[in-house]
Amino acid sequence: MADLRLPALRWAEPPEGPVLVLLDQTRLPAEEAELVCTDVPGLVAAIQSLAVRGAPLLGIAGAYGVALAAVRGYDVTEAARQLAEARPTAVNLAYGVGRAQEAYRSAGGDGEAAARAALAEARALHREDAQGSERMAGAGLGLLSELLPGGGYRLLTHCNTGALISGAHGTAFAVVRAAHLAGELRRLWVDETRPLLQGARLTAYEAAREGMPYAVLPDAAAGSLFAAGEVDAVLIGADRIAADGSVANKIGSYPLAVLAKHHGVPFIVVAPVSTVDLATRDGAAIQIEHRPGQEVTEVRPGVPVAPVGAQAYNPAFDVTPPELVTAIVTERGVVAPVDHGNLTNVCSETRSSESGTGSGMMKA
């Protein structure tokens, strides 16, 4: 099955007033249940608990959050601030918030017309993400065929980058899905992705629904796969890409890049241009979110796996330097080699007219 039974995010207007309805990702794969957000504090809590997550979807959620505040008559400026600060590493969140807030201001900054403008902008961003996902899938499949002309790909992915984080089929997972539909996916290796298991819980859930040949592995087992020659390419998403091409992604991505480099395996990042932050100079300037230690010391809330009082190191993301990245696939084309000049080119407005042509394949 190609689609989720419940969408990852939807706007609804019941009699009691507009709401944002989320597929609660903390309850997957055991249960598909929806979480209803009636105000921005509720949405912020959902973002921070990872009920809604993934860079593109966070941008969409942020835009709808601004619209929710506007339509319900709350303080839009304060709502935008709370939303933008909810997950500091994920640049898409601030991007979506900023777009909806600017639409609100441009329409007068008050009243029904401004609220409608914010909602229209959120819906536009939602549509754009879906269209961009399809273009990235085509561009990524084209890149794989260029790098690995034999087909029959064995692909390794980390964290979750599919329909759960997108208006369509995602980023890196969308490329995997395109390979599967083309009959070229031999095996999908799914890192379980510690400590919250977004790979085992979410990517495997999506792979199973798509009928893909997949297997889940402990993060620490990836090296043995590379050594055995069982990985043809690594595909990951991104939460922020700095101006020099450094990629912040879910913790555990950087070790995969090192392994891929050592074994001569392509390491491919798939992300929309909204994830590229040209204002952040390099990887060292990316603010890395640190999450509660209990996510490491407890197997689930109240069930410890470490001694009481144990300290934990729990960064949510790590940073992969550009020299370890084979290419960045965007909805406007493929950035290779990965450097400041090529990133700037692919993000520039003058290139945007090319974004809908062909498969989306374009070397920057």
Side-chain angles (χ1 to χ4, degrees):
M1 288 176 284
D3 298 309
L4 300 170
R5 283 185 288 265
L6 297 173
L9 177 154
R10 63 186 176 90
W11 178 269
E13 297 187 0
E16 58 270 25
V19 295
L20 190 59
V21 184
L22 312 172
L23 176 60
D24 188 347
Q25 297 189 33
T26 66
R27 298 167 73 171
L28 292 172
E31 180 184 11
E32 287 189 6
E34 291 186 321
L35 177 65
V36 178
C37 296
T38 60
D39 56 24
V40 167
L43 178 56
V44 168
I47 291 170
Q48 293 177 335
S49 71
L50 305 185
V52 59
R53 45 154 296 281
L57 194 67
L58 285 176
I60 297 167
Y64 277 118
V66 171
L68 184 64
V71 171
R72 284 185 168 264
Y74 300 141
D75 185 332
V76 170
T77 300
E78 176 59 18
R81 184 194 65 78
Q82 292 178 25
L83 286 163
E85 295 176 357
R87 296 288 305 277
T89 305
V91 70
N92 295 70
L93 178 56
Y95 171 78
V97 168
R99 275 188 52 169
Q101 189 177 20
E102 179 58 31
Y104 178 79
R105 289 171 175 164
S106 296
D110 191 26
E112 291 184 7
R116 286 195 302 269
L119 180 57
E121 190 67 16
R123 286 173 167 157
L125 179 59
H126 204 160
R127 289 192 301 272
E128 289 169 21
D129 179 78
Q131 294 162 359
S133 175
E134 296 302 318
R135 289 196 290 268
M136 285 185 284
L141 183 59
L143 179 63
L144 285 177
S145 66
E146 179 181 320
L147 296 174
L148 306 166
Y153 312 127
R154 297 164 298 176
L155 306 176
L156 188 148
T157 191
H158 192 70
C159 199
N160 172 252
T161 58
L164 291 168
I165 61 98
S166 169
H169 299 291
T171 55
F173 190 85
V175 178
V176 175
R177 179 177 180 272
H180 173 59
L181 293 176
E184 295 293 351
L185 180 64
R186 180 176 168 189
R187 173 69 64 179
L188 175 62
W189 299 112
V190 179
D191 268 1
E192 63 180 354
T193 314
R194 292 283 179 171
L196 294 181
L197 304 177
Q198 288 99 322
R201 291 191 306 106
L202 305 179
T203 299
Y205 162 82
E206 293 187 307
R209 290 185 61 81
E210 294 281 359
M212 294 178 180
Y214 76 95
V216 179
L217 64 145
D219 293 0
S224 65
L225 278 181
F226 281 95
E230 291 291 331
V231 181
D232 296 316
V234 179
L235 285 89
I236 67 166
D239 286 82
R240 187 182 296 252
I241 300 172
D244 71 336
S246 295
V247 176
N249 193 54
K250 176 66 181 176
I251 191 71
S253 300
Y254 171 54
L256 290 177
V258 174
L259 282 167
K261 185 72 170 182
H262 179 72
H263 290 280
V265 170
F267 184 87
I268 300 166
V269 176
V270 187
V273 293
S274 57
T275 304
V276 179
D277 180 13
L278 296 177
T280 297
R281 181 184 67 258
D282 54 27
I286 297 176
Q287 181 182 355
I288 298 299
E289 171 191 349
H290 283 251
R291 296 189 57 81
Q294 293 95 317
E295 293 177 350
V296 176
T297 61
E298 297 179 358
V299 67
R300 62 178 181 272
V303 182
V305 292
V308 174
Q311 298 296 302
Y313 174 66
N314 190 22
F317 307 96
D318 55 24
V319 177
T320 299
E323 59 266 25
L324 297 183
V325 180
T326 304
I328 297 174
V329 176
T330 79
E331 74 275 31
R332 297 183 186 173
V334 177
V335 178
V338 177
D339 57 31
H340 178 268
N342 286 337
L343 271 177
T344 301
N345 286 341
V346 85
C347 291
S348 67
E349 290 299 322
T350 59
R351 300 291 289 278
S352 63
S353 62
E354 300 176 50
S355 63
T357 61
S359 67
M361 184 71 174
M362 175 186 66
K363 286 292 179 66

